[in-house]
Amino acid sequence: MTSPLGSRAKMSGQCSADLLWMLTRSNSSFLVKRDCGRIQFSTEKYNLTAQNSFKFQGIANGKAVDISQYYTDADKEKKNPKGITLCTKSPKGINAPCKLDKPTVCAKDMRREFKRVARCITAHVSKERPDLVKPALARWTKYHRALKRIGAKSKK
């Protein structure tokens, strides 16, 4: 069965970042509204600050960065993170979703130095999005503090 619009009804799968932002800024499954809708947060994967803004949104931007917890296979069931993973989203993977995400394990254990991991994050993030270096380092600092607390509790 053919479409009444002919071949023009097919979508290309790619659209501008501005159009995606206009469509998802007020209606998204990741959107969390607080205080009668004045404060809006986003829980999507590539959003470092959880703010619902075009700069930090990972869905609309072609290049995005995410820092998440790193689990080994044995510790995933216990929900005991061992370090962090830095994921970068590149525009080259738009047509191939399996190539969209490039994970890099920056810290596998807590014995490594904080500055070395911070240099790793700075190097990777500044290549993709130089404007997100400070939020990425802030996110790494929060994860580092949380992982130190988990490590201290497990030793006792």
Side-chain angles (χ1 to χ4, degrees), residues 8-31:
R8 286 186 286 160
K10 294 180 182 177
M11 294 191 69
S12 66
Q14 297 177 359
C15 61
S16 70
D18 296 324
L19 178 63
L20 270 175
W21 169 243
M22 293 299 289
L23 293 172
T24 60
R25 74 176 174 182
S26 60
N27 298 316
S28 174
S29 63
F30 301 108
L31 191 61

Side-chain angles (χ1 to χ4, degrees), residues 4-75:
L5 298 175
S7 63
R8 286 186 286 160
K10 294 180 182 177
M11 294 191 69
S12 66
Q14 297 177 359
C15 61
S16 70
D18 296 324
L19 178 63
L20 270 175
W21 169 243
M22 293 299 289
L23 293 172
T24 60
R25 74 176 174 182
S26 60
N27 298 316
S28 174
S29 63
F30 301 108
L31 191 61
V32 178
K33 294 181 181 181
R34 298 281 187 232
D35 202 15
C36 299
R38 288 185 290 162
I39 301 170
Q40 295 182 353
F41 297 105
S42 180
T43 60
E44 62 193 13
K45 181 176 179 184
Y46 288 102
N47 194 335
L48 288 172
T49 60
Q51 296 177 9
N52 188 34
S53 67
F54 178 72
K55 177 181 178 179
F56 298 113
Q57 190 179 29
I59 293 174
N61 289 314
K63 294 181 178 181
V65 178
D66 183 44
I67 295 176
S68 58
Q69 296 178 347
Y70 170 74
Y71 295 97
T72 58
D73 293 334
D75 294 324

